[in-house]
Amino acid sequence: MMELAIEAKRLVRRFGKHLAVDDVSFSVPRGAIYGFLGPNGAGKTTTIRMILGLIRPDSGEVRLFGVNVQERRGEGLRQVGALIEAPALYNHLTGLENLEVAQRLIGGERKAAWKTLESVGLEREGERLVSTYSVGMRQRLGIALALLGNPALLILDEPFEGLDPAGIHALRELLADLSRNRGTTVFIATRLLSEVERLASNVGIMRRGTLLFDGRVDALKEQYDLVLGIRTDDPERAVDVLKRGGDEAFVGADGRLLLSISDAADAGRVNSRLVSEGISVVGLSVDQPSLEEIYLAMTGAVLENSRRWNE
Amino acid sequence: MTAVIQALGSEAVKLRRTAFLPVAIIFPSLVGTIQVLLLLTQPQRIGFLGYGRFAYYMRQSALSTWALLLLGMFITIEVVLLAGVDHEGEHWKYLFARATPRWAIYTAKLLLGIGAVALASIVLAVVLYLTSHFLAGSRPVPTGYPPILWTDLAQGILRIFLASWSLIALQTWLSLRLANPIIPASVGLIGTAAGMLLPLDPGRLWVRFDPWLMPFFARDNELVPLALGIGGGLLLAALGCMDVTRKDVL
């Protein structure tokens, strides 16, 4: 049986009359990188706070490595490192002292703080007061705080926020390395869908307090049709030709003709039809819909073009 | 116990470069300064006191100034500072997302508040002992007047310290519970101000139930305010601990 790092069962949480999280269940396999997605106000942060025992669910339960967090909070959180929204740092302390605050709380050797600082590329800034740090440096220090003590589970809420492209790349590499080589489970809530697509093996998608999907990324993509992209010398006429043949196509923002197909073999059929009508096909590609396109479609934040191939 | 010690270590790091320690030295030193200024600017008081009464007068005057005027303000400042370090920047969600029990973090904050008053009490004892020796040898005080006995001084200060536990626990609870420092600071200042007016009628028993007045009445040999200060402190500490442990961190 697959070992689970996080198991959320039927979580419900209200704030007054507002139902923030409604019957949410999901599971994160040990060692997986799990992308937790959803628009603002979807209930992601409330769910994360319930996972971390910061707020109690009205009903339901969270288990971390099999331990019920509501019943045995300390034991459940022993293997967890977290970054929740913006990192909370003590501005009057240095970067190293900020790590020391957390290090003393969890116990362990002081040199571990230095190593953690090195892992996020802040070793040269460790003796500087945090009040002089840039936004990106603060974010890296927040990640270092989460990494302290080599947790088996990392829970990161918007970890890419404030990082420059090099910082995003470095963090992506670090998380992938932790998952691959140390077996660390990484749970990321982020708006950067491209990063989730590159990193995550599993995703959960929330909207208005409910979970729309929980499972592997490839399983999610398999639920959607393939997208055929065609470059022609006359896209408008090509749309008419395909329409007469029963294929619904439209011209994308990049000038390509786009239509959904259920099988890659359909590409040959469409190509033959266009050529037989005297339309030159310059290029042809078959793509899976991106996670971003699926996310937009699922959460209702759909651009008209995205919706058309989804229907 | 290990969790409390770890939390204490963590809290100690947070207090670097803050006013926590300087305030614990400045406030009790003010008592000595006030005594010197009072006696040097009003030398007629000493003549009025007479031989043997100087030490008693200085002890009572200094300990009253401390217990009634400065201690309440000192506790308010220290405890608001202790809590403010974590309120500012929303640190609670990170502290409470760690495996360390919440009660251990609360207890560590409370112990640091008690520690600050203990440190200030030691500074006060040293300052008053030295001040009384200085004054006993200086011009307004006639030669031969004895300074305060250190045992007498230490007993009074110890009683004040123990009787202040209720106030420390109450202010700690308020400061940790409320993110806005204005409220605990106002409570501290209003409590101090009210306490300065209430003992005008010390014959009433109920004034001994005022946490701001317990140290004042305990400075001599009154057992009721001393017991109330210690017992109330332990009770309030337990209640505050339970409250913070159950609170949602939003």
Side-chain angles (χ1 to χ4, degrees), chain A residues 201-267:
Chain A
S201 54
N202 295 58
V203 288
I205 300 178
M206 281 194 81
R207 183 186 64 174
R208 293 181 199 152
T210 58
L211 194 70
L212 302 174
F213 179 84
D214 167 44
R216 292 193 59 81
V217 176
D218 44 18
L220 175 66
K221 288 187 172 180
E222 280 171 11
Q223 294 179 8
Y224 287 79
D225 283 348
L226 299 168
V227 180
L228 176 61
I230 307 163
R231 286 204 182 280
T232 74
D233 58 349
D234 191 349
E236 299 300 332
R237 203 173 130 241
V239 168
D240 292 337
V241 167
L242 291 174
K243 197 172 184 179
R244 285 200 301 275
D247 289 312
E248 197 67 42
F250 65 92
V251 181
D254 59 355
R256 286 191 310 159
L257 205 64
L258 300 171
L259 69 156
S260 64
I261 53 173
S262 53
D263 194 303
D266 288 343

Side-chain angles (χ1 to χ4, degrees), chain A residues 13 15 49 52-56 73-74 77-78 80 82-94 97-98 100-102 104-107 129 145-146 148, chain B residues 3 5-18 85-86 88-102 105 245-250:
Chain A
R13 176 68 200 216
F15 293 105
R49 288 182 183 212
L52 291 169
L54 292 172
I55 58 176
R56 276 169 297 182
R73 187 186 149 275
L77 293 174
R78 195 160 292 148
V80 180
L83 172 68
I84 316 153
E85 295 172 317
L89 304 171
Y90 300 98
N91 287 325
H92 64 287
L93 301 179
T94 66
E97 285 169 340
N98 266 275
E100 205 182 329
V101 168
R104 289 199 184 198
L105 206 56
I106 60 176
L129 288 181
L145 282 162
L148 207 60
Chain B
I5 293 168
Q6 287 176 339
L8 267 172
S10 174
E11 292 295 326
V13 178
K14 285 182 209 170
L15 294 173
R16 288 178 194 166
R17 297 184 201 90
T18 68
V85 165
D86 286 307
E88 197 182 325
E90 298 181 14
H91 289 276
W92 297 112
K93 61 187 177 190
Y94 283 95
L95 287 175
F96 290 165
R98 298 215 178 258
T100 309
R102 290 185 183 190
I105 294 167
T245 303
R246 288 158 186 262
K247 186 177 177 274
D248 278 344
V249 183
L250 299 173

Side-chain angles (χ1 to χ4, degrees), chain A:
Chain A
M1 192 177 157
M2 183 171 55
E3 197 181 347
L4 298 176
I6 305 175
E7 192 180 10
K9 288 182 187 167
R10 311 205 65 174
L11 291 177
V12 176
R13 176 68 200 216
R14 285 178 184 277
F15 293 105
K17 287 181 180 173
H18 173 62
L19 184 58
V21 174
D22 182 14
D23 199 17
V24 166
S25 300
F26 61 90
S27 51
V28 180
R30 191 169 196 147
I33 298 184
Y34 190 96
F36 197 46
L37 311 173
N40 292 340
K44 300 190 301 292
T45 300
T46 302
T47 305
I48 288 175
R49 288 182 183 212
M50 285 192 279
I51 294 171
L52 291 169
L54 292 172
I55 58 176
R56 276 169 297 182
D58 294 331
S59 62
E61 66 172 39
V62 176
R63 287 180 179 273
L64 299 179
F65 302 104
V67 176
N68 187 317
V69 177
Q70 280 77 46
E71 290 171 2
R72 286 144 63 199
R73 187 186 149 275
E75 196 183 334
L77 293 174
R78 195 160 292 148
Q79 302 182 70
V80 180
L83 172 68
I84 316 153
E85 295 172 317
L89 304 171
Y90 300 98
N91 287 325
H92 64 287
L93 301 179
T94 66
L96 189 62
E97 285 169 340
N98 266 275
L99 286 173
E100 205 182 329
V101 168
Q103 180 76 71
R104 289 199 184 198
L105 206 56
I106 60 176
E109 293 178 18
R110 192 168 184 264
K111 66 180 180 187
W114 262 115
K115 280 188 178 173
T116 313
L117 214 52
E118 279 174 3
S119 69
V120 294
L122 276 179
E123 66 276 16
R124 289 170 65 185
E125 321 292 341
E127 302 287 0
R128 261 175 62 186
L129 288 181
V130 164
S131 56
T132 66
Y133 277 23
S134 67
V135 175
M137 286 160 70
R138 294 176 71 88
Q139 190 70 3
R140 278 191 278 164
L141 185 58
I143 292 160
L145 282 162
L147 292 171
L148 207 60
N150 296 323
L153 169 62
L154 267 178
I155 295 178
L156 307 172
D157 192 2
E158 296 296 350
F160 300 104
E161 200 79 11
L163 296 179
D164 58 20
I168 290 174
H169 174 79
L171 178 58
R172 188 196 310 136
E173 294 296 309
L174 176 67
L175 296 178
D177 177 65
L178 287 171
S179 170
R180 200 169 41 235
N181 297 326
R182 285 201 213 159
T184 307
T185 309
V186 184
F187 182 91
I188 314 175
T190 178
R191 283 170 290 186
L192 290 185
L193 298 167
S194 56
E195 294 306 325
V196 172
E197 184 145 36
R198 288 182 194 194
L199 274 171
S201 54
N202 295 58
V203 288
I205 300 178
M206 281 194 81
R207 183 186 64 174
R208 293 181 199 152
T210 58
L211 194 70
L212 302 174
F213 179 84
D214 167 44
R216 292 193 59 81
V217 176
D218 44 18
L220 175 66
K221 288 187 172 180
E222 280 171 11
Q223 294 179 8
Y224 287 79
D225 283 348
L226 299 168
V227 180
L228 176 61
I230 307 163
R231 286 204 182 280
T232 74
D233 58 349
D234 191 349
E236 299 300 332
R237 203 173 130 241
V239 168
D240 292 337
V241 167
L242 291 174
K243 197 172 184 179
R244 285 200 301 275
D247 289 312
E248 197 67 42
F250 65 92
V251 181
D254 59 355
R256 286 191 310 159
L257 205 64
L258 300 171
L259 69 156
S260 64
I261 53 173
S262 53
D263 194 303
D266 288 343
R269 175 182 60 79
V270 172
N271 182 40
S272 302
R273 178 157 180 76
L274 291 174
V275 172
S276 67
E277 291 285 338
I279 297 170
S280 299
V281 174
V282 183
L284 202 133
S285 64
V286 179
D287 300 311
Q288 276 206 314
S290 67
L291 185 60
E292 181 179 58
E293 288 161 332
I294 294 171
Y295 167 83
L296 290 171
M298 287 185 87
T299 56
V302 190
L303 297 172
E304 189 54 33
N305 284 353
S306 305
R307 191 196 297 274
R308 287 180 67 175
W309 57 257
N310 190 32
E311 286 169 351

Side-chain angles (χ1 to χ4, degrees), chain B residues 165-245:
Chain B
W165 285 13
S166 278
L167 187 52
I168 299 169
L170 176 69
Q171 287 287 75
T172 302
W173 190 359
L174 283 175
S175 301
L176 292 179
R177 193 65 161 83
L178 305 167
N180 186 347
I182 302 279
I183 300 169
S186 303
V187 170
L189 292 176
I190 292 168
T192 303
M196 289 173 70
L197 300 173
L198 287 172
L200 291 176
D201 188 6
R204 294 174 192 271
L205 181 67
W206 66 267
V207 291
R208 280 137 182 94
F209 287 84
D210 178 347
W212 281 270
L213 289 179
M214 287 171 191
F216 175 74
F217 286 114
R219 79 192 193 286
D220 293 323
N221 285 321
E222 282 202 38
L223 281 176
V224 172
L226 185 64
L228 284 172
I230 297 170
L234 295 174
L235 179 68
L236 286 170
L239 290 173
C241 226
M242 279 164 53
D243 177 47
V244 170
T245 303

